[in-house]
Amino acid sequence: MNIVANWSYPTAIKMGRGRIRELAEACKSLGMKKPLLITDRGLAPMGITQTALDVLEEAGLGRAIFADVDPNPNEKNLEAGIKAYKDGGHDGVVAFGGGSGLDLGKCVAFMAGQTRPVWDFEDIGDWWTRANSDGIAPIVAVPTTAGTGSEVGRASVITNSETHVKKIIFHPKFLPGVVICDPELTVGMPKMITAGTGMDAFAHCLEAYSSPFYHPMSQGIALEGMRLVKEFLPRAYKDGTDLEARTNMMSAAAMGAVAFQKGLGAIHALSHPIGAVYNTHHGMTNAVVMPPVLKFNRHVIEDRIERAAAYLGIAGGFDGFYDYVLALRAELHVPENLTAMGIANDRIDELSAMAIEDPSAGGNPVAMTLENTKQLFADCF
């Protein structure tokens, strides 16, 4: 079944195979004449990236790329990206790749017109209003993984290289003007990345669904996102060329990021400091800490998870759902705990202090304190 669709929620999304061919058209629709394609080092030499550059060049939009991007992008990558953008006289950004390429690309477009340091725009209160919104360049986002959903997000995660803390930088205009979701770009993803990014999408949906805040639209999107992951992630993992599975996982990734406007929780509050300190894969880290967090939140979310289990066709209520998560992790070869991930348990105090400061902590169904977070971390080893 060939799925093709055009959506304008939450922004213009062009979903379907081969739609990378519409990249130049998307750039022109936002007024770009000289875009800069921003991606990570690993993707830069790959065929899918060269195809995207070919499409831009053939349309007379130049062939410019910046790829000095770390797996957890930091302010040094950002500085270098802004310099490349300004030196090249660019007027827009094509954010291309997984979470790191998308987040850094969006942040370069945002910061190119600002005079204040990036940390002044952290997602705290109304700090975003400090930005000069006229200076924000247009963005086309092209995801090449199915996980973070950063292509439909209004924020970027940037790691402070000195403190090793991940900061969420927010502005409504971070939301790309056009998104191209071409499942053919995800076919070459290694199994580990398919698993990790897919579990990231599942974590977004699960945490948004469990979050105590009121947002029925996000609630519904999160529920259907979980169903798509349940049905299609094992298929995409088993056969990377299964384009129906790849398309549905791209949808699930975008849905997870739309849903988490409702809030995230302890899975992300734990995962962010671990990723910042140990440079682990974000989605895989989410998958590792997911079962202990489910247990941690059980007494508050049990009824809600029972309803989700019923919708997903999982018998046994909360316990059935919990067992399903364990089985899915095993099928995707997710490490059983942080120890199996190669992390020592000698920095729990430091990680816990970072976790309760993480913005995601505020959306957890059970209030996170230093004491209960230390215990939760201990349960992850």
Side-chain angles (χ1 to χ4, degrees), residues 14 63 67 86 121 126 135 164 192 217 250 277 308 324 343 360 377:
K14 300 184 182 300
R63 189 186 187 91
K86 289 180 172 172
F121 307 110
D126 63 354
H164 299 293
M192 196 279 282
M217 286 193 291
M250 289 197 107
V277 172
Y324 159 72
I343 293 171
S360 304
F377 258 117

Side-chain angles (χ1 to χ4, degrees), residues 36 61 136 169 201 230 253 281 308 353 374 378:
L36 175 63
L61 296 178
I136 303 169
I169 312 300
K230 179 174 181 280
H281 184 273
K374 282 183 190 176

Side-chain angles (χ1 to χ4, degrees), residues 84-255:
Y85 181 88
K86 289 180 172 172
D87 289 354
H90 297 290
D91 58 3
V93 166
V94 174
F96 188 94
S100 48
L102 294 173
D103 275 10
L104 195 84
K106 285 160 53 181
C107 212
V108 167
F110 170 71
M111 286 299 296
Q114 309 305 321
T115 50
R116 302 173 70 133
V118 68
W119 313 124
D120 282 6
F121 307 110
E122 195 183 340
D123 189 11
I124 296 173
D126 63 354
W127 283 19
W128 65 271
T129 58
R130 299 167 167 182
N132 168 17
S133 58
D134 295 339
I136 303 169
I139 304 161
V140 172
V142 185
T144 63
T145 66
T148 68
S150 182
E151 66 274 9
V152 293
R154 299 171 300 162
S156 283
V157 179
I158 304 292
T159 301
N160 184 317
S161 63
E162 285 173 22
T163 62
H164 299 293
V165 174
K166 286 189 173 192
K167 297 288 189 182
I168 297 171
I169 312 300
F170 171 85
H171 194 280
K173 282 196 170 179
F174 264 97
L175 184 67
V178 181
V179 179
I180 293 179
C181 286
D182 183 340
E184 289 179 348
L185 304 184
T186 68
V187 163
M189 255 197 297
K191 268 185 148 54
M192 196 279 282
I193 303 294
T194 296
T197 53
M199 288 303 288
D200 193 22
F202 189 77
H204 292 156
C205 292
L206 173 61
E207 292 215 283
Y209 178 76
S210 304
S211 150
F213 304 124
Y214 181 76
H215 199 321
M217 286 193 291
S218 281
Q219 192 84 349
I221 290 168
L223 194 54
E224 177 64 4
M226 283 193 277
R227 187 191 70 78
L228 290 178
V229 173
K230 179 174 181 280
E231 189 170 337
F232 293 104
L233 178 54
R235 276 177 52 179
Y237 182 75
K238 201 158 73 184
D239 175 9
T241 64
D242 181 339
L243 281 164
E244 186 186 5
R246 291 292 196 190
T247 304
N248 278 289
M249 281 308 300
M250 289 197 107
S251 296
M255 290 163 77

Side-chain angles (χ1 to χ4, degrees), residues 245-330:
R246 291 292 196 190
T247 304
N248 278 289
M249 281 308 300
M250 289 197 107
S251 296
M255 290 163 77
V258 172
F260 74 58
Q261 292 180 23
K262 180 172 177 275
L264 288 168
I267 292 174
H268 278 77
L270 268 57
S271 176
H272 284 150
I274 295 164
V277 172
Y278 295 101
N279 221 16
T280 56
H281 184 273
H282 170 68
M284 204 49 99
T285 314
N286 282 343
V288 170
V289 303
M290 192 178 286
V293 171
L294 272 168
K295 277 188 178 167
F296 179 78
N297 287 326
R298 176 173 187 155
H299 65 283
V300 177
I301 63 171
E302 189 153 2
D303 291 352
R304 187 170 285 189
I305 294 296
E306 273 179 18
R307 290 197 298 274
Y311 180 73
L312 297 170
I314 297 168
F318 182 93
D319 289 325
F321 184 89
Y322 182 85
D323 290 344
Y324 159 72
V325 169
L326 292 183
L328 177 63
R329 292 193 334 157

